[in-house]
Amino acid sequence: MSEKVYDVSAEWAKRAFIDQAKYREMYARSTSDPKGFWGEQAKRLDWIEPFTKVDNASFAPGNISIKWFEDGVLNVAWNCIDRHLDKRGDQTAIIWEGDDPSQSKHITYRELHDEVCKMANVLRTRNVSKGDRVTIYLPMIPEAAYAMLACARIGAIHSVVFAGFSPDSLAQRITDCKSKIVITADEGLRGGKKVPLKANVDAAIAKASGVDWVVVVKHTGAAVDMNPTRDFWYQDAAEMVTTECPCEPMSAEDPLFILYTSGSTGQPKGVLHTSGGYLVFASMTHQYVFDYHDGDIYWCTADVGWVTGHSYILYGPLANGATTLMFEGVPNYPDNSRFWNVIDKHKVNIFYTAPTAIRALMQSGDAPVKKTSRKSLRLLGSVGEPINPEAWEWYYRVIGDERCPIVDTWWQTETGGILITPLPGATKLKPGSATQPFFGVVPEIVDADGKVLEGETSGNLCIARSWPGQMRTVYGDHARFEQTYFSTYKGKYFTGDGCRRDADGYYWITGRVDDVINVSGHRMGTAEVESSLVAHDAVSEAAVVGYPHDIKGQGIYAYVTLMTGTEPSDALRKELVAWVRKDIGPIASPDLIQFAPGLPKTRSGKIMRRILRKIAEDEPGSLGDTSTLADPAVVDDLVQHRQNKK
Ligand code: 6R9
């Protein structure tokens, strides 16, 4: 734990929207008068019909209901595009940087308007209308932004599926929300490698019924199979439509998007976000956390397949009339200087990335960084997992040349936007701490019984009251929403994260306390990996846990019991890794597989994951109480054959 504190510089306190005094004053108001506070903040958007009610939220058991600005009417695409046209028609909205460093383009707000209208009209010609679900399975190309905003424009609900997911994962998500249309590309491109997106969609649709149309964006130009009654090229269809498409008036509580995310049990959940509150929150957090001023060049390196891409590549920045950079590639292609070269090429001022990328780049030393200038940089951000103080210091010292504050932003798919974070002109920084709550956010640390702990303490992180960006439900399963987030600690939203609060009231997120693992900032449910493994003929049982991994933050450690008569081998180990990779996607590939003749179970048959975690962490000396095990002998074998001996 780092003891270092970095003060806010005088220059930052002066230039930022929010200094320390203002933070205190606004935070106090946001909690003492939330209606007044959020009612004023919501004026940052254009409303077709103004709202009269601000918040209407209940976390009461049996009656979980979250509404913000509920009688207001607006359109999200209007707020992200049309309302900027008078003043910013010729300003760049999106800078697109391709995987190939020679490829980039600038898209103005006017061009964005025309492209989004074309995409929206193409969807309309296929009878997509308000409330319909549209699955988007695209690489990081401008059409991904056009497709999302086109849905928002006509009131359709987008479900973006990360292009690294397998056909099976895609099929599951198409089926869950009953999409009739999928938007994809011929191929994706990452680090010079091609990803067969259209072929993946074909394989997914073979398993998911109900898809009437597949829109295919020509990207690499590869030859792909086209089903003449179902598939069509986007570029051809776009030539047949106009660049005008009216915005559908939407209630603030009409859904904007579904985004699937992993939980501790079962299949991924469709996290549902709505229109008004989400956009108010995304816009406000983007402005204040990144201190975004007109003319700044802002770059978030996430993929639009994750919530960070939704809120902080697209919706927050565009609602603020920003210039946002969208990057198709990866940090180490063509070489380890890529991020820093892109920063110099486009004069990026604000850079937002994940700790896993920082740790990976740190391994190749300072030289690839130091040969670039980075003098345009002013602010750095981190998201996705706890950032260890060593990586924080390197980010600060080597990337930011000790000039740029780092905002370590804690939030979740479910929260819609940033909840705990420094504000660069207001908050002293402690490496490794997400620091203080954003406006309107009331964190509580509770013990296992739900007792609220005061002062310097640690426990489970809850949020005591609603904020506008909060998810509204699990798509199609409100009971699961209540069960997952509001049943552990009654009357509070439970985040699933552990947390410490220090003597200064700073929050330190310690990672998940449930069966979710965070691999390179991507959430994986252990149950998902387990069910994939047991689907293999050779596997009788599997238990999956996370373990500390130098670059990924957490790695995936799988204990596998084979069918009687099947012999363990390295070949089988490789086969199982490939199996999961194909079944779910590369991010779910187990890093280590241990063949286990038996798993540690209680007499009632429950797997004791606590013990499996300790063995995976290479701490066989601290297994704790093993007296409730049905067969204590299995543990000796597991310890002896552990895969992570240091
Ligand atoms: C935005 C995003 C959410 C989980 C969350 C937590 C971890 C995210 C963090 C962080 C420590 C940070 N997490 N940001 N942990 N410090 N700054 O990542 O959403 O993919 O839903 O993941 O990620 O464990 O619960 P999501």
Side-chain angles (χ1 to χ4, degrees):
M1 237 138 265
S2 172
E3 293 303 315
K4 259 195 182 155
V5 178
Y6 291 84
D7 286 328
V8 176
S9 67
E11 190 194 331
W12 263 96
K14 207 168 115 215
R15 88 174 291 278
F17 289 112
I18 313 280
D19 64 12
Q20 197 180 71
K22 189 121 191 253
Y23 169 73
R24 291 205 174 120
E25 175 205 314
M26 280 174 72
Y27 184 79
R29 165 111 197 276
S30 73
T31 53
S32 64
D33 174 23
K35 286 189 199 312
F37 181 86
W38 289 112
E40 274 166 32
Q41 277 302 326
K43 293 190 184 137
R44 60 177 50 246
L45 302 185
D46 271 11
W47 295 85
I48 299 167
E49 296 283 347
F51 54 89
T52 61
K53 288 189 199 149
V54 176
D55 58 326
N56 179 10
S58 157
F59 289 0
N63 178 35
I64 308 295
S65 162
I66 295 153
K67 292 183 177 145
W68 284 85
F69 318 113
E70 59 186 294
D71 58 350
V73 175
L74 80 170
N75 181 281
V76 166
W78 172 275
N79 276 284
C80 290
I81 306 168
D82 303 57
R83 66 167 173 153
H84 303 313
L85 291 178
D86 280 350
K87 199 173 139 204
R88 307 179 190 278
D90 298 324
Q91 181 201 307
T92 301
I94 298 175
I95 300 174
W96 178 74
E97 169 78 15
D99 185 56
D100 174 342
S102 70
Q103 303 284 312
S104 61
K105 66 178 166 191
H106 287 64
I107 299 144
T108 65
Y109 272 93
R110 200 175 322 283
E111 288 164 340
L112 181 63
H113 169 271
D114 293 357
E115 295 295 341
V116 168
C117 285
K118 277 198 270 178
M119 181 74 84
N121 284 330
V122 167
L123 295 177
R124 282 207 160 143
T125 59
R126 263 65 185 184
N127 291 323
V128 177
S129 60
K130 183 170 171 174
D132 290 347
R133 280 79 55 214
V134 175
T135 296
I136 299 175
Y137 185 67
L138 281 171
M140 287 288 287
I141 55 178
E143 284 78 5
Y146 306 158
M148 292 164 77
L149 291 161
C151 289
R153 195 167 190 93
I154 63 175
I157 306 169
H158 59 71
S159 162
V160 182
V161 177
F162 174 54
F165 276 123
S166 68
D168 279 4
S169 300
L170 175 60
Q172 203 177 69
R173 287 157 171 80
I174 291 172
T175 304
D176 185 79
C177 70
K178 302 187 189 68
S179 289
K180 292 207 270 294
I181 187 159
V182 178
I183 307 176
T184 190
D186 45 10
E187 290 179 322
L189 212 50
R190 271 170 73 82
K193 292 196 204 86
K194 293 179 168 167
V195 189
L197 297 179
K198 173 61 169 63
N200 286 353
V201 169
D202 292 342
I205 293 177
K207 300 197 168 177
S209 57
V211 175
D212 298 331
W213 300 110
V214 177
V215 191
V216 189
V217 176
K218 196 178 278 277
H219 179 44
T220 63
V224 294
D225 289 342
M226 294 292 272
N227 171 337
T229 58
R230 186 195 68 190
D231 308 344
F232 63 94
W233 290 103
Y234 174 68
Q235 280 87 346
D236 294 344
E239 273 182 24
M240 319 288 285
V241 296
T242 70
T243 55
E244 288 302 327
C245 173
C247 290
E248 186 76 30
M250 302 293 285
S251 148
E253 283 301 336
D254 279 335
L256 177 63
F257 66 84
I258 298 166
L259 187 56
Y260 287 86
T261 192
S262 294
S264 45
T265 55
Q267 297 302 337
K269 304 180 275 289
V271 168
L272 185 94
H273 283 287
T274 57
S275 303
Y278 171 79
L279 197 64
V280 168
F281 200 68
S283 152
M284 181 184 182
T285 46
H286 174 262
Q287 182 192 355
Y288 291 152
V289 174
F290 301 106
D291 199 57
Y292 188 89
H293 290 260
D294 267 356
D296 288 346
I297 310 287
Y298 163 89
W299 180 18
C300 164
T301 68
D303 190 286
V304 288
W306 310 115
V307 74
T308 307
H310 283 57
S311 301
Y312 299 114
I313 293 178
L314 221 58
Y315 289 118
L318 294 180
N320 293 339
T323 299
T324 180
L325 194 150
M326 190 175 179
F327 176 44
E328 185 185 18
V330 294
N332 57 359
Y333 177 83
D335 59 40
N336 283 324
S337 297
R338 184 69 192 274
F339 273 178
W340 328 124
N341 282 330
V342 172
I343 288 171
D344 286 350
K345 176 175 173 187
H346 298 293
K347 307 277 177 295
V348 171
N349 306 115
I350 303 162
F351 177 69
Y352 188 32
T353 196
T356 185
I358 300 295
R359 286 192 299 265
L361 292 168
M362 207 170 132
Q363 290 215 324
S364 50
D366 299 4
V369 187
K370 290 301 172 194
K371 67 182 190 209
T372 64
S373 148
R374 289 156 289 104
K375 73 173 192 297
S376 57
L377 279 179
R378 195 168 58 229
L379 181 65
L380 303 172
S382 171
V383 61
E385 50 175 322
I387 181 164
N388 48 311
E390 302 69 42
W392 196 104
E393 295 284 355
W394 189 79
Y395 197 19
Y396 184 76
R397 189 170 46 78
V398 180
I399 308 305
D401 287 322
E402 302 182 37
R403 266 184 301 114
C404 309
I406 297 176
V407 288
D408 174 2
T409 64
W410 174 84
W411 60 294
Q412 310 177 295
T413 306
E414 294 87 339
T415 71
I418 296 165
L419 295 198
I420 302 184
T421 180
L423 299 182
T427 319
K428 291 182 185 184
L429 305 174
K430 298 188 188 187
S433 171
T435 78
Q436 306 253 286
F438 189 74
F439 304 120
V441 175
V442 183
E444 281 182 345
I445 298 181
V446 303
D447 69 10
D449 303 322
K451 189 172 154 250
V452 178
L453 306 171
E454 305 293 339
E456 197 179 342
T457 190
S458 61
N460 303 314
L461 181 64
C462 292
I463 310 292
R465 53 164 93 154
S466 186
W467 63 98
Q470 186 171 22
M471 75 182 280
R472 302 304 198 248
T473 192
V474 170
Y475 185 75
D477 195 349
H478 198 66
R480 190 169 176 202
F481 177 54
E482 171 156 0
Q483 167 64 29
T484 309
Y485 304 104
F486 300 94
S487 67
T488 322
Y489 306 111
K490 301 270 182 285
K492 303 178 201 311
Y493 168 78
F494 176 44
T495 64
D497 279 322
C499 182
R500 180 170 77 85
R501 186 170 48 220
D502 71 14
D504 297 324
Y506 273 44
Y507 291 84
W508 301 71
I509 310 297
T510 50
R512 302 289 302 195
V513 294
D514 54 11
D515 290 324
V516 171
I517 25 192
N518 191 326
V519 186
S520 301
H522 301 148
R523 279 165 68 166
M524 268 326 301
T526 51
E528 285 171 72
V529 184
E530 287 163 6
S531 66
S532 173
L533 283 166
V534 295
H536 189 284
D537 284 344
V539 177
S540 104
E541 202 170 19
V544 168
V545 298
Y547 72 98
H549 186 288
D550 284 349
I551 292 179
K552 299 178 178 185
Q554 277 189 301
I556 298 180
Y557 193 118
Y559 297 87
V560 171
T561 307
L562 296 174
M563 292 292 188
T564 320
T566 307
E567 287 304 314
S569 67
D570 279 342
L572 181 54
R573 203 175 256 131
K574 284 202 188 101
E575 188 180 321
L576 292 175
V577 171
W579 170 269
V580 176
R581 193 181 164 88
K582 184 166 175 292
D583 190 26
I584 306 178
I587 59 168
S589 310
D591 297 279
L592 296 170
I593 291 185
Q594 174 168 3
F595 292 114
L599 295 172
K601 291 187 188 163
T602 61
R603 282 177 206 104
S604 62
K606 213 170 178 313
I607 294 174
M608 292 181 76
R609 290 168 180 282
R610 174 175 56 81
I611 292 176
L612 294 177
R613 272 189 214 112
K614 285 293 174 200
I615 296 171
E617 285 163 13
D618 193 27
E619 287 181 21
S622 49
L623 297 185
D625 180 15
T626 53
S627 62
T628 55
L629 278 172
D631 177 10
V634 299
V635 172
D636 300 335
D637 179 85
L638 290 175
V639 168
Q640 206 188 337
H641 296 106
R642 66 191 189 276
Q643 299 289 300
N644 190 26
K645 270 184 217 154
K646 279 165 200 135

